[in-house]
Amino acid sequence: MSGAVMEGKAHKLGDHVNTDMIISATYLVTIDPVELGSHLLESHDPEFVAKMSPGDVLVGGVNFGSGSSREHAPVAIKGAGISCVIASSFARIFYRNAINVGLPILESAEASEAIADGDDIKVDLAVGTIEDMTNGKKVSFPAYPEFMQRLIDEGGLINYLLKQDA
Amino acid sequence: MSQSRKILARHVGRELLEPGELVEAPVDLVLANDITAPLAIEVFEKLGRENVFDRDKVVLVLDHFTPNRDIASAEQCAFIRRFAHKYGVNHFYDAGEVGIEHVLLPEEGLIKPGNLVVGADSHTCTYGALGAFATGMGSTDIGAAMATGKAWFRAPEAINVNVSGKPRRWVGGKDLILFLIGKLGVDGATYRSLEFSGDGISRISVDGRLSAANMAVEAGAKNGLFPVDGLTVEYLREAGVTAEPALSEPDDYGYALEVDIDLDGIEPQVALPHLPSNSVGVSESPNVKLDQVVIGSCTNGRMEDMRLAAEIMRGKHVAPGLRLIIIPGSPRIYRRSMDEGLFEVFLETGAIISPPTCGPCLGGHMGILASGEKALSTTNRNFAGRMGHRHSEVYLSGPAVAAASAITGTITDPGEIV
């Protein structure tokens, strides 16, 4: 995934979205992103995947991604076609994992509060803006450092490292 | 410096490490289990290395969905088994050698004070009870660490938890940590170290400290850390590790936060659904009818937990219809429980005794909840749906409250029935 502009509908979740909620442990018997993605947020809403479209955005409150270290969580989010996650704050291991697998995550309490469920969202990673097209609010965030943007563009840490070796 | 940063500094050959500094450090141990290893192995293989960085420093434990739950988990275990054999991983725990990783590794003498340990499991922070800097990461970081023997860290600020007083009967390490998480909240320690100090610690057993350090991550912490005292040295000696007591010194950079806990003031704790921070004293816990009680896990599957449970349950029977599942955390604890006659007590009580496995804690197998069911568990997470159906409920406690509650069928103060 390159090109830093993403557009989709917001799916608003609350505070403390944990990795069990993102992907139930019972499905951790595969590492296939699409299969994991087909169970995204199932324990939160069994119809979630049917309701979402590729490119959509997850919006959380504080402590998004808390709990287990399962990297399957950001992999499932990507695998389902979610383009990025916006939250007021992220749990430590999830933050690391998301960057490592190339899932863009944006920490902005301002954006998290401004966005309502179902709003149309436009995110420009290169410029560093989150725009709520439904209510017209626009929030800036510091753009990723260049290496981190490249890492995300390459699809994660390993591809990035391999490309450096080459 | 905080004790955690001291350990980190020593690993990178630095005298001083300020909070927030980024360092790449060599690690002493790299751990993964049957659900996180497959992704880590995929990463390792993409890096194209001929060998793991050190065959004695990579640990693989097949503990989550074992004995194999279904074909898919059997395939994952077979994949890891092939990897372990191909690369000659010496600490590969399979079949009858499997224990719950964070119960097993300390017993096996694999954790030493001052070690830097990374694991693809969030409860890797357990080892802080023995004076190691141990933290959980994801599979990509762990796969890379298996190849390079290194990981990058942000030197954490510390929270000082000053523990004083003497715990009342039936209060242990689990109650200390549930009480603390109740004070801090589930993100109150995010990115920070939870460092325990004070004379109250000497009255918490090493098994209790392992329970407490295990749940540091439930407050968002990067790691939990206890000083190494006489009890630690004795515990390590039994595991074949020689160590010296090491007193902790205050952090001259100052702490991000200081918390005082007087053990005298804490009653046995219960965390209500659906966050570990919803902790209350057992006397304030609602009177819910329980369908299941689980005593086990990387939090409370140790010898002290087995003994406490048996002491409370001896000569009594579980409430009608209640499923009591007891999971000794390792082969050694399993055998010792049997030799001490605890299995006799458990079986007379009407308990189900499980082989060592993470099993029901994460809703894997061996005790899944149906819609509307309620469980009291000595595990570490009570998120909605954690142990089964999204409309089931999990309450958390230590082994004493769990054992007493299995007898009465509702959440019960052990003092009421012993």
Side-chain angles (χ1 to χ4, degrees):
Chain A
M1 178 207 62
S2 69
V5 180
M6 297 168 295
E7 287 187 55
K9 274 204 181 328
H11 297 274
K12 190 121 189 214
L13 307 162
D15 290 339
H16 309 301
V17 170
N18 62 74
T19 53
D20 279 275
M21 179 173 151
I22 296 168
I23 179 80
S24 292
T26 199
Y27 299 120
L28 306 184
V29 287
T30 175
I31 56 176
D32 179 55
V34 175
E35 200 178 328
L36 287 167
S38 72
H39 299 291
L40 181 66
L41 289 163
E42 196 175 276
S43 74
H44 167 66
D45 175 2
E47 304 301 317
F48 182 82
V49 172
K51 290 177 191 165
M52 65 155 282
S53 306
D56 284 359
V57 174
L58 294 183
V59 181
V62 298
N63 201 28
F64 188 100
S66 52
S68 145
S69 69
R70 64 190 67 160
E71 201 163 290
H72 311 68
V75 169
I77 294 173
K78 260 186 101 172
I82 294 287
S83 62
C84 72
V85 183
I86 299 166
S88 302
S89 66
F90 290 92
R92 183 188 73 87
I93 304 175
F94 182 87
Y95 192 93
R96 230 180 141 111
N97 286 347
I99 298 295
N100 280 346
V101 304
L103 170 70
I105 55 175
L106 308 168
E107 201 166 85
S108 170
E110 202 186 343
S112 168
E113 279 157 25
I115 297 168
D117 191 47
D119 284 1
D120 290 308
I121 306 297
K122 187 174 172 185
V123 174
D124 190 325
L125 282 182
V127 177
T129 53
I130 300 167
E131 198 175 347
D132 188 322
M133 317 285 274
T134 308
N135 65 22
K137 284 185 187 152
K138 197 167 180 177
V139 173
S140 299
F141 61 89
Y144 281 123
E146 197 191 336
F147 87 93
M148 209 168 248
Q149 183 59 55
R150 276 214 309 273
L151 193 156
I152 289 169
D153 288 345
E154 294 297 344
L157 177 70
I158 296 307
N159 292 339
Y160 173 73
L161 288 179
L162 287 173
K163 207 137 198 176
Q164 276 189 328
D165 284 351
Chain B
M1 270 193 297
S2 72
Q3 301 308 303
S4 304
R5 289 206 309 282
K6 257 185 211 166
I7 294 172
L8 213 47
R10 211 174 301 133
H11 279 78
V12 293
R14 292 268 299 274
E15 286 284 316
L16 217 62
L17 211 50
E18 288 184 38
E21 279 194 71
L22 292 173
V23 292
E24 188 180 46
V27 296
D28 298 300
L29 212 62
V30 181
L31 166 71
N33 58 52
D34 52 316
I35 62 179
T36 59
L39 259 175
I41 290 170
E42 191 189 51
V43 164
F44 174 88
E45 289 186 335
K46 271 190 193 162
L47 289 172
R49 302 291 175 109
E50 277 182 23
N51 289 302
V52 295
F53 82 104
D54 187 331
R55 290 156 65 172
D56 290 321
K57 291 184 178 176
V58 174
V59 184
L60 297 168
V61 187
L62 308 183
D63 59 355
H64 276 64
F65 292 162
T66 55
N68 298 338
R69 179 190 73 174
D70 54 12
I71 294 169
S73 55
E75 292 293 346
Q76 289 209 135
C77 287
F79 176 68
I80 299 163
R81 199 172 287 124
R82 285 194 295 273
F83 173 85
H85 292 149
K86 180 176 172 189
Y87 292 97
V89 172
N90 285 328
H91 299 297
F92 171 55
Y93 293 92
D94 191 8
E97 292 180 333
V98 166
I100 298 169
E101 50 194 334
H102 310 309
V103 177
L104 187 69
L105 269 58
E107 273 185 5
E108 291 283 298
L110 291 172
I111 309 296
K112 299 176 182 69
N115 274 178
L116 181 57
V117 180
V118 292
D121 189 281
S122 59
H123 295 110
T124 301
C125 55
T126 307
Y127 313 132
L130 302 178
F133 185 130
T135 190
M137 292 181 178
S139 293
T140 296
D141 280 317
I142 292 306
M146 291 194 315
T148 63
K150 289 183 205 156
W152 67 265
F153 301 84
R154 182 175 165 274
E157 289 180 297
I159 294 175
N160 180 36
V161 183
N162 182 35
V163 184
S164 62
K166 187 169 174 273
R168 63 175 82 167
R169 187 139 169 77
W170 313 121
V171 168
K174 181 65 165 287
D175 305 292
L176 166 64
I177 192 69
L178 287 178
F179 182 81
L180 177 63
I181 296 167
K183 283 187 131 186
L184 292 174
V186 289
D187 59 350
T190 300
Y191 278 103
R192 293 165 173 170
S193 304
L194 272 183
E195 300 203 343
F196 294 85
S197 64
D199 61 4
I201 288 171
S202 63
R203 298 178 198 99
I204 302 282
S205 67
V206 173
D207 279 1
R209 296 175 199 178
L210 288 158
S211 291
N214 175 268
M215 290 188 71
V217 67
E218 308 314 331
K222 180 174 215 152
N223 68 316
L225 195 62
F226 279 84
V228 177
D229 65 5
L231 289 178
T232 328
V233 171
E234 175 57 25
Y235 177 98
L236 288 166
R237 197 187 54 77
E238 259 192 61
V241 176
T242 311
E244 295 288 328
L247 293 175
S248 53
E249 294 150 28
D251 187 349
D252 39 19
Y253 282 92
Y255 293 101
L257 188 70
E258 302 229 27
V259 184
D260 291 310
I261 294 184
D262 180 4
L263 291 169
D264 290 286
I266 298 182
E267 63 169 317
Q269 299 288 301
V270 177
L272 312 179
H274 294 288
L275 287 176
S277 56
N278 293 340
S279 53
V280 297
V282 65
S283 65
E284 298 160 48
S285 175
N287 192 20
V288 293
K289 187 181 175 295
L290 299 169
D291 301 288
Q292 179 166 301
V293 170
V294 175
I295 300 174
S297 83
C298 59
T299 322
N300 286 106
R302 298 187 179 81
M303 214 49 232
E304 177 182 80
D305 307 310
M306 298 296 122
R307 288 181 184 136
L308 262 176
E311 186 182 342
I312 288 165
M313 298 190 303
R314 190 178 298 275
K316 302 185 179 69
H317 202 274
V318 294
L322 183 138
R323 309 183 296 269
L324 169 60
I325 301 166
I326 300 181
I327 313 172
S330 72
R332 192 169 290 142
I333 290 166
Y334 198 94
R335 173 171 287 275
R336 208 152 156 188
S337 299
M338 193 173 68
D339 291 347
E340 290 184 12
L342 308 186
F343 279 8
E344 180 70 23
V345 176
F346 296 155
L347 292 171
E348 285 296 318
T349 309
I352 300 157
I353 304 172
S354 160
T357 179
C358 305
C361 169
L362 71 163
H365 65 155
M366 304 289 276
I368 304 301
L369 300 175
S371 177
E373 287 193 329
K374 294 177 173 62
L376 177 63
S377 179
T378 66
T379 52
N380 41 41
R381 291 194 174 126
N382 55 350
F383 303 148
R386 168 80 176 175
M387 203 173 254
H389 194 278
R390 56 196 287 260
H391 293 142
S392 57
E393 289 184 354
V394 180
Y395 296 73
L396 303 176
S397 77
V401 172
S405 305
I407 302 301
T408 62
T410 64
I411 296 174
T412 300
D413 184 340
E416 285 177 23
I417 69 156
V418 177

